[in-house]
Amino acid sequence: MTHLFYIAHDFNKEQTLFDQDKIDTTEFILPDDTTISLGSERYVVPEVLFSPQDIGLPQAGIHDAISDSFLNCEQNFQLSMNHIVLCGAGAKLPGLEHRLESELRPLLP
């Protein structure tokens, strides 16, 4: 089901495009043969990875958590860390790597 969802590079721009009917909805058939239509949910739901406060969770987004972890490491370790490995089912979301990189770039030295 991860193929139905994606991470928007620019959430506000994506929302504008959806509001202008420039993003199509996608039909999905549930196991009970009910068909549902997915529109903005395709990029709004995964956005919680970057903005959990949008659904009332008092925690940092994935980019802030990675940045905080990185900056709390000893400087010698920071200098040798040049790769971040994404793993798990969520790592398959299209656009995650690109968005994460663009969010982390201004946060890390």
Side-chain angles (χ1 to χ4, degrees):
M1 190 151 173
T2 57
H3 67 281
L4 296 173
F5 297 92
Y6 63 94
I7 303 289
H9 179 66
D10 181 333
F11 180 78
N12 293 326
K13 182 177 178 182
E14 202 77 7
Q15 189 65 45
T16 300
L17 291 172
F18 183 78
D19 292 342
Q20 296 171 350
D21 292 328
K22 293 183 179 177
I23 295 178
D24 295 329
T25 59
T26 298
E27 301 293 317
F28 182 73
I29 301 173
L30 298 172
D32 68 355
D33 290 329
T34 302
T35 300
I36 60 172
S37 179
L38 297 171
S40 63
E41 299 88 356
R42 296 180 61 214
Y43 61 90
V44 171
V45 170
E47 183 65 19
V48 75
L49 292 170
F50 293 91
S51 302
Q53 63 277 5
D54 289 353
I55 61 167
L57 295 176
Q59 59 193 44
I62 188 172
H63 58 297
D64 290 321
I66 292 171
S67 172
D68 289 347
S69 295
F70 184 84
L71 295 174
N72 284 317
C73 291
E74 293 180 21
Q75 191 163 0
N76 291 345
F77 185 67
Q78 287 181 13
L79 295 174
S80 67
M81 187 182 297
N82 55 11
H83 295 315
I84 295 173
V85 177
L86 300 175
C87 61
K92 295 180 182 180
L93 286 167
L96 177 61
E97 183 179 347
H98 184 68
R99 169 79 179 276
L100 189 56
E101 183 179 336
S102 69
E103 294 284 348
L104 283 172
R105 192 173 307 279
L107 299 176
L108 297 177

